[in-house]
Amino acid sequence: MFSRFSLATLTAALLLSGCARHAATDNSASADAPAPATAAAPIENQDSASPFASGPTVINVSHLVTRTDDGSSVYLTVDGQDAGMLQKGENRLIHVPAGKHQVGGYVQTLFGFGKVTIQAVDITTDANTPKNVVYSVTRQKPQFSETAAAPNNS
C-alpha cells in the first residue's frame, strides 16, 4: 500500500515540476544576455528590412475564405525564404526581382510543435503586370494557385 502511493506522489511531483516558473529575480541568467529564441513561430522582427519590401515586380498573395478553411494563419515563403504571415481573408504584396519564383508556405501544427508545408506554385514575374496567387483550402487540401485576378474576399 505504501509503495503504490509513493509511486503516484513521485510521478505527480515529476510531472508538475515541468510547470514551475522561475522568479523574476533569478540570478542564473545575465541581465545583458538576450532572451533565448523559441522554435514555436517565426519571429516578426520590425527592425530589419524585409527582402520582399522592394523590388521591380509584384506578387499579390491572397488568402481565400472557403467553407473548408479552418482559419489558420499561413506563413508565406518565396524561394524558400520567409515572407511574412497571411491571415484568413488577407492580401499581401510581395516585391521580387523579375524572373521565376516559387510561392509557397506552411501552417503551424497545434501548440506550434511542427509545421505542415504547403506545396509551392511556380510564378514567372515581369515588370509589366503583377501576378496574383491565391491560397485556398478545397476538399480538405490546402494549395497555392496562380489566378488572372485577385479574389474578392468580401
Side-chain angles (χ1 to χ4, degrees):
M1 181 73 111
F2 175 72
S3 64
R4 183 173 17 156
F5 289 123
S6 61
L7 181 60
T9 303
L10 179 62
T11 304
L14 288 174
L15 290 175
L16 292 176
S17 65
C19 298
R21 292 187 179 190
H22 296 286
T25 59
D26 187 9
N27 292 334
S28 64
S30 172
D32 296 333
T38 60
I43 298 173
E44 294 288 333
N45 188 353
Q46 302 298 336
D47 297 335
S48 63
S50 171
F52 305 108
S54 64
T57 63
V58 176
I59 300 173
N60 180 18
V61 183
S62 302
H63 187 159
L64 184 64
V65 179
T66 61
R67 291 186 340 193
T68 56
D69 194 345
D70 67 353
S72 298
S73 298
V74 178
Y75 292 94
L76 293 175
T77 59
V78 176
D79 299 329
Q81 295 180 347
D82 283 343
M85 186 168 55
L86 189 64
Q87 300 284 339
K88 184 176 180 179
E90 185 178 64
N91 296 338
R92 180 176 289 269
L93 294 177
I94 299 173
H95 298 271
V96 294
K100 285 190 165 192
H101 299 283
Q102 289 188 336
V103 178
Y106 59 93
V107 177
Q108 297 226 328
T109 59
L110 188 62
F111 303 120
F113 290 126
K115 63 183 180 179
V116 176
T117 304
I118 301 153
Q119 176 108 15
V121 63
D122 291 328
I123 301 292
T124 303
T125 60
D126 59 2
N128 299 332
T129 58
K131 295 293 182 172
N132 296 303
V133 175
V134 173
Y135 168 75
S136 62
V137 180
T138 54
R139 296 188 195 117
Q140 300 295 330
K141 183 177 186 240
Q143 65 182 0
F144 285 94
S145 57
E146 184 176 5
T147 61
N152 185 4
N153 280 327
S154 301

